[in-house]
Amino acid sequence: NAGVTQTPKFRILKIGQSMTLQCTQDMNHNYMYWYRQDPGMGLKLIYYSVGAGITDKGEVPNGYNVSRSTTEDFPLRLELAAPSQTSVYFCASSYQETEAFFGQGTRLTVV
Amino acid sequence: AQTVTQSQPEMSVQEAETVTLSCTYDTSESDYYLFWYKQPPSRQMILVIRQEAYKQQNATENRFSVNFQKAAKSFSLKISDSQLGDAAMYFCAYRSRGGADGLTFGKGTHLIIQP
């Protein structure tokens, strides 16, 4: 049972480039989330989804987009990368409002 | 909106001793969940313990236990018999019951274990 799988684990982007962070879960969880973690800070919610076809903004959605076409997958798209998007990104899933299970994170650097 | 505050940026404890990490939260809700997550240098977020607000009994998981004071909105984590593998960042998190928008995290406490 793989749980929540994120790819890639590391990435360096140039300013203005775009990329998609992939996230898939095999636990049949209906809720999925994207968080970012900046140094010295807790995790902040970017976007979340309560099921296929339904997404909503979290606390810090600007500069990002998501889609949820299947229960398993919840990719995060960065358009026009900026240095402020340098962070560690975590995907997570949960069965409704219980504890969240996290992927291993993606360290993104925008230069 | 809910907020979670961890007032100890860093704590240090001798191996085999006991340490308590503090967490307070602010909410107007009466039913919710509270969690402690551990983040070792590997970066993986690992659930340590969870508490449901309607349960008066404090949760316990082996060497980890909580002191949940609902009226005071306090949720501290006690680690007994500290081990070197306990060294990590510890995050306190809040979640509304029935809330779809995930967990609200504190800024974390860095726990150092002295051998």
Side-chain angles (χ1 to χ4, degrees):
Chain A
N1 192 345
V4 180
T5 303
Q6 285 182 240
T7 55
K9 289 187 171 52
F10 303 92
R11 183 71 186 268
I12 298 174
L13 274 184
K14 293 185 178 180
I15 294 172
Q17 287 185 323
S18 300
M19 75 164 294
T20 299
L21 279 66
Q22 301 293 343
C23 176
T24 187
Q25 53 94 6
D26 62 1
M27 297 176 282
N28 202 31
H29 286 167
N30 48 347
Y31 289 11
M32 295 188 74
Y33 318 89
W34 276 104
Y35 289 89
R36 61 177 286 171
Q37 183 181 25
D38 298 321
M41 304 293 288
L43 280 68
K44 293 190 176 181
L45 185 66
I46 304 172
Y47 271 94
Y48 65 98
S49 169
V50 300
I54 306 170
T55 62
D56 210 343
K57 296 178 180 179
E59 185 182 355
V60 290
N62 291 343
Y64 308 95
N65 279 298
V66 294
S67 60
R68 183 102 182 266
S69 57
T70 66
T71 299
E72 295 79 18
D73 300 309
F74 190 42
L76 177 72
R77 177 103 179 137
L78 280 71
E79 303 283 2
L80 299 175
S84 61
Q85 293 177 304
T86 294
S87 189
V88 177
Y89 292 83
F90 287 95
C91 179
S93 71
S94 69
Y95 177 68
Q96 296 182 337
E97 70 267 15
T98 58
E99 60 267 25
F101 294 84
F102 286 82
Q104 289 192 302
T106 297
R107 182 177 294 278
L108 176 67
T109 302
V110 181
V111 296
Chain B
Q2 295 80 25
T3 58
V4 177
T5 302
Q6 294 179 249
S7 58
Q8 306 154 315
E10 187 171 280
M11 292 283 284
S12 181
V13 64
Q14 293 284 342
E15 194 176 2
E17 296 293 307
T18 295
V19 64
T20 298
L21 308 184
S22 300
C23 173
T24 59
Y25 57 95
D26 188 24
T27 184
S28 59
E29 299 171 337
S30 60
D31 200 7
Y32 47 85
Y33 296 93
L34 294 164
F35 305 93
W36 279 98
Y37 280 86
K38 170 185 177 181
Q39 186 180 43
S42 67
R43 202 167 66 203
Q44 180 72 48
M45 294 288 287
I46 302 165
L47 178 68
V48 175
I49 200 164
R50 89 177 214 178
Q51 175 80 41
E52 296 172 62
Y54 71 88
K55 291 185 178 179
Q56 293 185 342
Q57 187 171 6
N58 288 324
T60 299
E61 288 287 342
N62 300 315
R63 298 183 294 108
F64 298 87
S65 61
V66 299
N67 184 4
F68 173 48
Q69 301 288 330
K70 190 173 185 180
K73 297 180 182 175
S74 171
F75 182 60
S76 60
L77 175 69
K78 186 172 83 171
I79 305 174
S80 304
D81 185 25
S82 297
Q83 300 175 1
L84 294 177
D86 295 334
M89 286 291 294
Y90 286 81
F91 292 95
C92 179
Y94 172 102
R95 178 165 205 169
S96 302
R97 182 181 284 273
D101 57 346
L103 284 69
T104 300
F105 285 87
K107 291 185 178 181
T109 296
H110 181 211
L111 179 64
I112 298 168
I113 310 295
Q114 304 279 5

